[in-house]
Amino acid sequence: MSDLKTPRIIAITNQKGGVGKTTTAINLGAALAELGETVLIVDIDPQGNASTGLGVSVRDRDQTTYDLLHEDAPLARVVHKTGVERLDVAPATTDLSSTDVALGTQENRVFLLRDALSTDTARGYDYILIDCPPSLSLLTVNALVACHAVLVPLQAEFFALEGLSQLMLTVRDVRETANPGLRIEGVVLTMYDQRNNLSQQVEADARATLGDLVLHTRIPRNVRLSEAPSYALPALIYDPLSKGSLAYMDLAKEILARHAKRKEPA
């Protein structure tokens, strides 16, 4: 990669599982790539679902984010091309599940991912999206230390806001101790059904509580979003005109617009 950049690094995280975190990583990455950005998805979830959803089979994961964090493997050896132009992935395996125990006493343990992404290979991308595990583990803390901002998928369901306060406290702690520039990119409502009173109430509560942190784009419940991973494709490739695909394109455009606005001179 010849043109070195300063990539925008976004950690996609929520310690609650099943909120559309990996779906968001895959499809936001594909949408940004479709809009002309070069994107790397870094999978640090031991389940490796983002890797599978982007077509990297387990048998092809010779070098993974485990090697990146545990063995000092260079990022260039870990990255795989996907079937989507301008979209790459650094895959994960279940080996990552040992990270908290294996690295628990290592002095620089929270800086490992930051250091791994401070390379010329990383600087070849416009955006790096980190798909985090559904927990506030050492892996997630590594992502918070390495990133510029946090994107939080929030499922439009009862108790959606419960537990979010703990994530916000963790973000604050990381900002105070290891990453002073860390900010909240936004909260994106997922699995939203506009015909459902509960979804509308969750949105109202989220906007009343979090204000402008809640992004305008809402990701609907959509069968194509659920089907696409079984074909190892982002929904934007599997069915680009589905409501889910169009929503992720809107999310990518909203994030790009926010970044452009921040770069404008005061």
Side-chain angles (χ1 to χ4, degrees):
M1 297 179 185
S2 55
D3 297 328
L4 297 184
K5 310 159 188 177
T6 301
R8 180 76 177 168
I9 304 177
I10 301 174
I12 300 175
T13 186
N14 187 331
Q15 72 268 32
K16 187 174 182 182
V19 299
K21 178 180 55 60
T22 297
T23 298
T24 296
I26 291 173
N27 289 289
L28 175 58
L32 288 168
E34 178 68 21
L35 292 169
E37 307 293 327
T38 52
V39 184
L40 173 66
I41 294 177
V42 178
D43 190 354
I44 60 167
D45 185 344
Q47 297 175 90
N49 290 335
S51 310
T52 302
L54 287 167
V56 183
S57 66
V58 174
R59 65 177 177 273
D60 291 331
R61 299 175 203 176
D62 297 327
Q63 296 275 293
T64 69
T65 50
Y66 174 90
D67 301 285
L68 198 68
L69 298 176
H70 291 252
E71 307 293 342
D72 294 325
L75 181 63
R77 289 188 188 173
V78 175
V79 169
H80 284 244
K81 296 290 184 184
T82 73
V84 181
E85 188 177 0
R86 293 183 295 276
L87 178 63
D88 297 342
V89 62
T93 62
T94 55
D95 292 343
L96 276 176
S97 59
S98 67
T99 297
D100 278 43
V101 173
L103 301 178
T105 60
Q106 190 165 320
E107 189 173 340
N108 67 334
R109 60 190 178 277
V110 302
F111 299 103
L112 296 172
L113 186 58
R114 184 200 67 179
D115 293 345
L117 297 179
S118 300
T119 64
D120 284 354
T121 299
R123 285 188 285 270
Y125 296 95
D126 296 304
Y127 281 85
I128 296 177
L129 307 180
I130 306 173
D131 186 25
C132 299
S135 65
L136 295 177
S137 63
L138 179 56
L139 288 167
T140 299
V141 172
N142 260 267
L144 297 180
V145 172
C147 73
H148 298 108
V150 178
L151 179 64
V152 184
L154 187 72
Q155 186 177 355
E157 66 166 10
F158 200 58
F159 297 135
L161 293 174
E162 287 200 359
L164 197 58
S165 58
Q166 183 58 51
L167 174 59
M168 297 302 187
L169 286 173
T170 302
V171 169
R172 186 193 67 183
D173 290 345
V174 170
R175 185 186 294 129
E176 291 176 351
T177 59
N179 186 2
L182 180 62
R183 62 184 306 278
I184 305 293
E185 182 70 35
V187 174
V188 57
L189 292 165
T190 60
M191 305 181 194
Y192 189 91
D193 185 347
Q194 62 184 2
R195 302 165 300 178
N196 188 312
N197 289 336
L198 178 58
S199 287
Q200 296 176 33
Q201 186 59 55
V202 169
E203 179 178 14
D205 290 347
R207 295 193 186 279
T209 304
L210 302 169
D212 289 341
L213 285 179
V214 183
L215 296 165
H216 294 297
T217 305
R218 302 170 302 190
I219 308 300
R221 283 193 178 275
N222 180 247
V223 67
R224 296 305 199 196
L225 290 176
S226 302
E227 289 175 351
S230 65
Y231 293 89
L233 291 170
L236 278 96
I237 303 300
Y238 176 62
D239 186 351
L241 297 181
S242 69
K243 289 182 179 180
S245 298
L246 295 174
Y248 276 112
M249 284 297 296
D250 287 342
L251 178 61
K253 290 174 183 176
E254 183 174 359
I255 286 175
L256 288 173
R258 284 191 168 206
H259 290 176
K261 188 174 182 179
R262 290 192 204 106
K263 291 177 181 178
E264 291 176 357

